[in-house]
Amino acid sequence: MPTTHTLPTTVTAARHILANAYDTMRAHARRIEGAARRTLDRVGTAAESYVGDKIKRKVKPPIVAALVAAGVAVVVAILALARK
């Protein structure tokens, strides 16, 4: 239900009402800003974790294969030096 507000009778009262409304709006904006910042932080953390897991899954096997191939190459090189 809409409420009826009486108009202030003096300029000072009007300024006081406007100052209170301004302070209330600033408080709400700060609260909304904080909630938005926390939400964005959570989304960023989740995205970073997701991407990190994807990178680990896609990058880890080629790295392991490269390390195994390098190990085999070192063994072959040592065997070749030992035969000379």
Side-chain angles (χ1 to χ4, degrees), residues 11-33:
V11 173
T12 305
R15 285 183 181 155
H16 181 68
I17 289 170
L18 287 175
N20 285 342
Y22 180 74
D23 290 341
T24 301
M25 291 303 294
R26 282 182 58 104
H28 286 296
R30 272 194 235 87
R31 193 175 74 233
I32 290 169
E33 178 186 355

Side-chain angles (χ1 to χ4, degrees), residues 22-80:
Y22 180 74
D23 290 341
T24 301
M25 291 303 294
R26 282 182 58 104
H28 286 296
R30 272 194 235 87
R31 193 175 74 233
I32 290 169
E33 178 186 355
R37 186 177 295 126
R38 286 188 299 275
T39 300
L40 286 175
D41 286 344
R42 275 190 238 127
V43 168
T45 301
E48 185 178 322
S49 174
Y50 176 78
V51 169
D53 289 345
K54 287 288 188 182
I55 289 173
K56 284 179 191 173
R57 276 190 239 128
K58 287 189 177 190
V59 171
K60 195 173 183 179
I63 290 174
V64 171
L67 288 174
V68 169
V72 170
V74 168
V75 170
V76 168
I78 291 173
L79 290 175

